[in-house]
Amino acid sequence: MLLIPLYIYIISFFITINFLLAPFLESPPKMAENSILCSVSSLILSIFILFCCLFGLCNSVEQLGGYDTFTISSFKYPETQIRPFDMRYIRVDLPPWFSSMSIALKSSVNLDIKSAKKVPKSVLPMICFRDGSLPLPDVSSTSLEVALSNRSFDGIQVLQNMEQCYPVPRNMTMKLTNEQISARVLYFGLFNGVGPTRTQSKMIVRNRAYSFTANISVEGCTTSTMQGQYCNQTIELLSCARSGNSSGNGSVSGFFNQSMVLCRNNFETSCHGDGEMKIYSLEILRITESLTISVQNLRLRPLDSIGNSSRIYLMCFARYGAMPLATLHDYSGDLNQSPLVIRFPKVGQWYISILALHLAKEIGGALSNVSKVCYSLEVQELECPLGKAGPNCSSERYMLQTVLRKYSTPFESYYLPDGGDVISDALNFHLEPLLSNYSVGGLDTWTYFLLDVPRGAAGGNLHVRLMSDRKMNYEIYARNGGLPSLINWDYYYVNKTSSSGDSVFFVLYNSSDEKVDFYILYVKEGIWNIALRHLNSTGDISDGQTTMSISLERCPKRCSYHGSCKSALDTSGLTLYSFCACDRNHGGFDCSIEIVSHQGHIWQSIALIASNAAAVFPAFWALRQKAFAEWVVYTVSGISSGLYHACDVGTWCVLSFGVLQFMDFWLSFMAVVSTFIYLTTIDEVFKRAIHTAVAILTALMAITKATRSSNIILVMGIGAFGLLLGWLIEFSTKYRSLSCSMGLCLNRLERWPSREWLQNLVNTVMKRFRWGFVLAGFIALAMAAISWNLESSQSYWIWHSVWHVAIYSSSFFFLCSKVITINSGNRTPTDANYQLTQQDSLSQGA
């Protein structure tokens, strides 16, 4: 449609050029005057026409680029920081009429694909996508391999079957269409390190944080009959009507009535040429046994064409929730050969595309002149009556009722049959009274349980348990949106060796012949169908008693009793998800992985607690020199540090963790600064003032972000400033007391050579310290700095124990380096004039 105005603009452009060149092509001289007038008029008219052409062309291009779309939703996520081992989830809702979704992500991560391969997964920033529920890369062993081999995001179309993870790029712009992902809910999560240690409680975290900003917009088509990436694909809605009941087939014929919904295209026939594709859609509203797609009244056009309709391929591609393509579909078949039958289709929107192939080809030496193929499309939905399901509607089907738990977080609930045989504790129900008692061919029976996972509960975990007093003879199949079968399921359990154990979202716990216990992690929203296949059901099913429990829980297995269950909202605030915060010795999504053994925990506790005994050395020296303030600081610092680490490793907490952490860091800061102040020889009055000021500053540092690395530099700077301040006070006090008047002091300073004064200052400093101990103190301080830099989450207990010994040893050596001068405050220079003057003044005063 837009090409016609384009042709008009091109023709108008050539007319304009003709007007411009016409005056110059008129050669006779007698026409010169008329030529000039005509030239001016033609020029004005040509400019006007050219302007109109350009304006219309720009308007057409703008319409061509805009398409028939509108913005459904648009979110801008501000700059958000993800700390080490932290995560963020974002939910994006995609309605059936969406056409595309655009994601623009910017982060502070600067990793290319080569450097990302060298970074361990435990510290690698990752972004993961999953359709329908939250991604969980901690339990996946193949996510990283897929990401590193396919950084361009070309494989995003497999999201409906699995999650995909990639290293977080610095800049990412991605556009997904309704041909790539289904119209449901898309989640993506950003992680700063994945693996079992992500949920482990750590004594210290030194990894880097990163920040990100994101813009997410969803575009949709204005009309339901136009879809595709640019809303330029015509979709024909099939009209459906219930056509009455039909009896079942086979051995159960006539026992159960099946209702049929018949859907046809709006026009009697549909015609299209070779390689042309037509797309139809219909919505399945109820649980359906089968969906049959067929064509009727197949005819070739023109009517007198040479060719055989049986040699034409009429390919059918069907897909749930998304546009089907020849290269991307759920089911396919040649309708010219046989109908396409889909067993147990999912409830929701289905798309069907028909593609005609090989219309024009050589047949029997003559070229076929078939230009189009016409047909009537017919889709049959076979539904079972209420309470029935399965093949020939011969199995029992129960809709489970949601029962919320008391005093629990939102969405935490369990499921029970409505009016079924419920046990007194209201958590389990007896299974035998609910089983189907009729089998097809005497082989096995199926019993179906339907339950609803509400919107926003995708961060929960579906827990299924079976317990029996005898060996169970059941198989379990689970599927989201449709009935499961032997060939169509999302998760299954046959026995301990045959289950969906290779799925990252299926976790089996302590199962045996008498017990089945498994979780479906981060279960998808919507209707779930859980089917029990009872083998050899021809026998008496009342010999044993089996109970079944189905519940929606926060954290799997209560975090294995090695951690606490936490809950949080995703960034959009629409989904509540739960996760485990494990203790020091365990990790994994359910805290079931032992990272530190019991023996290793003992060694870590001994090293971190006993290493604080090094505080005895500076405390003993301070007590010997009667520096009681320093003695108290060193003693209490060592004790508080030992108590803090005893609580940190999970051995014993005498006070709350926050109080012990504050005491440890505050007194450690005080011990470092007290060492510097001890090296001065100022009066106790000044020391008390400096100690008071330092206590206030270090307390503020300890109460606000005590674990940051910059505190070490700040404490060293405060201590050095205290030492310098003490020397300045000492210098000013000493030399101010040498004079009795300002005039005499000035005369002395005029006679005092600066070189001699500097030499005396150096000699004083050299005599004040034992430099061997000073050197040992700096070596110990360097060891402490090195051990601080080498600390990591795994080696923290080793290097922090070295830090304890090194930092207390350095304080001890610095304390020993000070030369103690007896009565040093009463010494005066041997200046005769000063002594005589002092004596005269005393005698006069007497």
Side-chain angles (χ1 to χ4, degrees):
M1 295 293 295
L2 294 174
L3 293 179
I4 297 176
L6 185 60
Y7 291 140
I8 297 175
Y9 299 145
I10 295 175
I11 295 173
S12 301
F13 178 78
F14 281 109
I15 294 174
T16 303
I17 296 298
N18 184 37
F19 273 113
L20 291 173
L21 297 179
F24 299 99
L25 298 177
E26 296 177 350
S27 56
K30 63 180 180 180
M31 300 182 64
E33 183 177 355
N34 296 332
S35 176
I36 294 175
L37 296 176
C38 182
S39 173
V40 175
S41 301
S42 300
L43 180 61
I44 296 174
L45 181 60
S46 302
I47 293 175
F48 178 77
I49 295 175
L50 183 61
F51 175 79
C52 293
C53 293
L54 293 177
F55 178 81
L57 182 61
C58 293
N59 187 39
S60 299
V61 172
E62 183 179 358
Q63 293 179 0
L64 183 64
Y67 304 107
D68 198 13
T69 63
F70 72 101
T71 301
I72 299 175
S73 62
S74 180
F75 296 95
K76 181 178 181 180
Y77 297 92
E79 184 173 358
T80 305
Q81 187 181 59
I82 300 182
R83 296 175 298 177
F85 306 105
D86 205 353
M87 59 187 174
R88 291 290 186 276
Y89 286 113
I90 297 179
R91 171 190 176 123
V92 183
D93 288 278
L94 304 174
W97 57 88
F98 98 101
S99 60
S100 63
M101 180 192 67
S102 300
I103 301 175
L105 178 75
K106 292 184 179 180
S107 71
S108 59
V109 179
N110 191 13
L111 286 175
D112 55 15
I113 190 170
K114 292 183 179 179
S115 57
K117 290 181 179 179
K118 301 177 182 178
V119 178
K121 288 179 61 177
S122 59
V123 296
L124 179 65
M126 296 182 65
I127 179 172
C128 299
F129 297 83
R130 188 186 176 198
D131 181 24
S133 188
L134 286 73
L136 190 62
D138 299 302
V139 295
S140 176
S141 60
T142 59
S143 298
L144 185 59
E145 298 297 329
V146 175
L148 294 177
S149 62
N150 195 358
R151 182 66 182 273
S152 61
F153 297 94
D154 291 334
I156 204 72
Q157 60 266 18
V158 300
L159 283 176
Q160 55 186 340
N161 299 322
M162 59 178 295
E163 68 177 17
Q164 281 202 356
C165 296
Y166 306 86
V168 174
R170 188 170 184 84
N171 292 287
M172 181 191 75
T173 301
M174 182 174 61
K175 188 173 185 179
L176 302 176
T177 69
N178 57 3
E179 297 174 352
Q180 294 177 290
I181 55 177
S182 59
R184 288 197 294 177
V185 180
L186 178 66
Y187 290 90
F188 66 92
L190 293 107
F191 304 85
N192 195 355
V194 298
T197 59
R198 186 178 67 85
T199 56
Q200 179 195 16
S201 179
K202 300 166 184 65
M203 302 178 189
I204 195 168
V205 176
R206 293 286 175 80
N207 299 338
R208 293 183 178 179
Y210 74 90
S211 60
F212 78 95
T213 59
N215 290 315
I216 302 175
S217 62
V218 179
E219 300 289 328
C221 300
T222 56
T223 59
S224 59
T225 57
M226 299 295 293
Q227 292 194 17
Q229 180 179 357
Y230 306 110
C231 296
N232 57 354
Q233 189 79 36
T234 303
I235 304 294
E236 184 175 337
L237 302 179
L238 299 179
S239 58
C240 301
R242 193 170 298 276
S243 63
N245 297 333
S246 63
S247 299
N249 299 321
S251 61
V252 293
S253 177
F255 280 84
F256 303 103
N257 292 327
Q258 299 168 320
S259 61
M260 181 175 294
V261 177
L262 186 62
C263 302
R264 292 189 176 94
N265 51 344
N266 293 330
F267 302 98
E268 183 180 356
T269 59
S270 295
C271 300
H272 48 96
D274 193 4
E276 183 182 352
M277 178 180 288
K278 284 200 172 185
I279 302 178
Y280 307 89
S281 71
L282 77 155
E283 185 176 6
I284 299 179
L285 301 177
R286 298 176 57 186
I287 296 294
T288 303
E289 180 184 349
S290 65
L291 187 69
T292 304
I293 306 172
S294 61
V295 292
Q296 306 293 333
N297 304 324
L298 183 63
R299 296 189 300 270
L300 304 179
R301 294 289 177 90
L303 297 177
D304 57 347
S305 58
I306 302 174
N308 188 354
S309 61
S310 62
R311 302 196 179 190
I312 294 176
Y313 292 98
L314 200 62
M315 299 302 300
C316 174
F317 304 101
R319 191 178 179 191
Y320 173 73
M323 299 282 288
L325 301 174
T327 57
L328 184 60
H329 51 267
D330 296 334
Y331 303 91
S332 64
D334 185 5
L335 297 184
N336 198 19
Q337 300 297 324
S338 62
L340 177 61
V341 179
I342 302 174
R343 300 290 297 173
F344 305 129
K346 290 186 175 183
V347 175
Q349 198 77 20
W350 280 83
Y351 294 90
I352 302 169
S353 62
I354 306 296
L355 177 63
L357 298 174
H358 298 174
L359 295 184
K361 64 179 181 178
E362 186 175 351
I363 302 176
L367 183 64
S368 172
N369 64 345
V370 176
S371 60
K372 289 187 176 181
V373 59
C374 302
Y375 57 87
S376 296
L377 184 65
E378 185 175 282
V379 180
Q380 298 178 359
E381 301 177 25
L382 193 61
E383 298 179 353
C384 295
L386 187 63
K388 295 295 181 179
N392 301 298
C393 300
S394 59
S395 302
E396 300 293 335
R397 184 183 70 184
Y398 300 93
M399 185 67 193
L400 300 183
Q401 184 180 18
T402 303
V403 182
L404 298 178
R405 294 179 183 267
K406 292 183 178 180
Y407 314 110
S408 62
T409 58
F411 306 119
E412 199 169 16
S413 58
Y414 50 91
Y415 299 91
L416 297 173
D418 190 8
D421 186 7
V422 181
I423 301 179
S424 58
D425 57 7
L427 294 177
N428 307 326
F429 56 90
H430 290 296
L431 192 60
E432 280 76 14
L434 304 176
L435 294 177
S436 302
N437 57 6
Y438 196 90
S439 63
V440 180
L443 295 179
D444 52 67
T445 59
W446 290 77
T447 305
Y448 299 91
F449 299 95
L450 278 66
L451 57 97
D452 179 40
V453 176
R455 175 184 169 89
N461 306 280
L462 191 63
H463 187 195
V464 179
R465 288 183 299 172
L466 265 74
M467 293 169 288
S468 179
D469 54 3
R470 61 185 175 88
K471 183 178 180 180
M472 286 189 296
N473 208 11
Y474 297 104
E475 296 178 1
I476 306 176
Y477 298 85
R479 189 180 180 211
N480 176 253
L483 293 178
S485 64
L486 292 177
I487 59 175
N488 208 346
W489 40 260
D490 293 336
Y491 306 98
Y492 76 97
Y493 173 85
V494 175
N495 50 51
K496 292 185 294 184
T497 59
S498 179
S499 64
S500 298
D502 54 344
S503 174
V504 298
F505 299 101
F506 181 89
V507 181
L508 190 64
Y509 289 108
N510 302 326
S511 294
S512 61
D513 293 337
E514 296 80 19
K515 180 182 179 182
V516 178
D517 189 348
F518 66 85
Y519 280 87
I520 299 177
L521 304 179
Y522 285 169
V523 62
K524 293 183 179 181
E525 302 171 0
I527 298 295
W528 276 87
N529 299 270
I530 298 177
L532 290 182
R533 184 190 180 198
H534 187 204
L535 304 177
N536 301 325
S537 60
T538 54
D540 189 4
I541 62 175
S542 61
D543 293 340
Q545 182 174 338
T546 305
T547 57
M548 187 174 187
S549 171
I550 304 175
S551 58
L552 187 62
E553 301 178 2
R554 293 172 60 200
C555 295
K557 209 178 177 181
R558 297 183 180 180
C559 298
S560 304
Y561 300 96
H562 295 302
S564 58
C565 187
K566 307 292 184 180
S567 296
L569 289 172
D570 72 315
T571 308
S572 63
L574 299 176
T575 301
L576 180 73
Y577 66 94
S578 302
F579 59 93
C580 288
C582 308
D583 57 25
R584 294 283 190 263
N585 303 326
H586 296 83
F589 70 95
D590 58 352
C591 302
S592 62
I593 300 177
E594 186 181 55
I595 298 177
V596 180
S597 62
H598 179 67
Q599 185 177 4
H601 177 260
I602 294 176
W603 282 110
Q604 291 185 10
S605 302
I606 293 175
L608 288 170
I609 297 173
S611 59
N612 290 283
V616 172
F617 299 108
F620 168 76
W621 186 261
L623 182 62
R624 181 180 179 184
Q625 301 302 323
K626 297 183 179 181
F628 298 110
E630 286 79 4
W631 170 70
V632 171
V633 169
Y634 292 129
T635 302
V636 179
S637 175
I639 295 174
S640 63
S641 181
L643 294 176
Y644 163 69
H645 286 290
C647 182
D648 196 24
V649 298
T651 302
W652 178 55
C653 293
V654 63
L655 295 172
S656 66
F657 180 81
V659 173
L660 292 174
Q661 187 183 57
F662 169 76
M663 292 293 294
D664 176 42
F665 282 88
W666 178 49
L667 293 173
S668 298
F669 296 158
M670 284 293 298
V672 173
V673 179
S674 297
T675 303
F676 284 95
I677 298 176
Y678 175 82
L679 297 179
T680 64
T681 57
I682 58 178
D683 293 338
E684 290 297 325
V685 176
F686 296 107
K687 284 187 177 182
R688 287 196 297 269
I690 296 176
H691 273 122
T692 302
V694 168
I696 296 174
L697 289 176
T698 53
L700 291 175
M701 293 171 58
I703 202 65
T704 57
K705 296 182 179 180
T707 58
R708 57 187 174 187
S709 301
S710 58
N711 283 342
I712 299 298
I713 301 176
L714 291 176
V715 170
M716 291 295 180
I718 293 174
F721 177 76
L723 178 61
L724 179 61
L725 181 63
W727 283 349
L728 290 176
I729 294 174
E730 178 186 351
F731 176 81
S732 61
T733 303
K734 179 178 180 180
Y735 285 98
R736 186 170 53 192
S737 63
L738 296 180
S739 60
C740 62
S741 64
M742 183 64 68
L744 184 61
C745 182
L746 292 175
N747 294 334
R748 179 170 180 83
L749 290 175
E750 291 177 357
R751 299 193 307 266
W752 191 11
S754 59
R755 182 177 300 177
E756 181 181 356
W757 177 85
L758 184 60
Q759 184 177 359
N760 291 336
L761 179 62
V762 172
N763 292 335
T764 302
V765 173
M766 294 296 294
K767 293 178 181 180
R768 179 163 293 182
F769 298 102
R770 300 183 181 95
W771 291 97
F773 286 101
V774 172
L775 180 61
F778 277 110
I779 293 175
L781 190 62
M783 291 177 59
I786 293 173
S787 62
W788 178 273
N789 291 327
L790 292 177
E791 286 180 2
S792 64
S793 301
Q794 292 76 21
S795 61
Y796 170 80
W797 68 279
I798 299 176
W799 294 112
H800 198 70
S801 301
V802 176
W803 154 269
H804 287 158
V805 176
I807 199 67
Y808 284 125
S809 298
S810 65
S811 297
F812 172 72
F813 289 135
F814 283 130
L815 293 179
C816 295
S817 67
K818 181 181 178 180
V819 176
I820 305 299
T821 304
I822 301 176
N823 295 329
S824 59
N826 297 329
R827 291 187 178 183
T828 57
T830 58
D831 187 275
N833 295 331
Y834 178 78
Q835 292 178 353
L836 291 174
T837 303
Q838 187 179 26
Q839 291 173 0
D840 294 339
S841 63
L842 291 175
S843 62
Q844 292 176 1

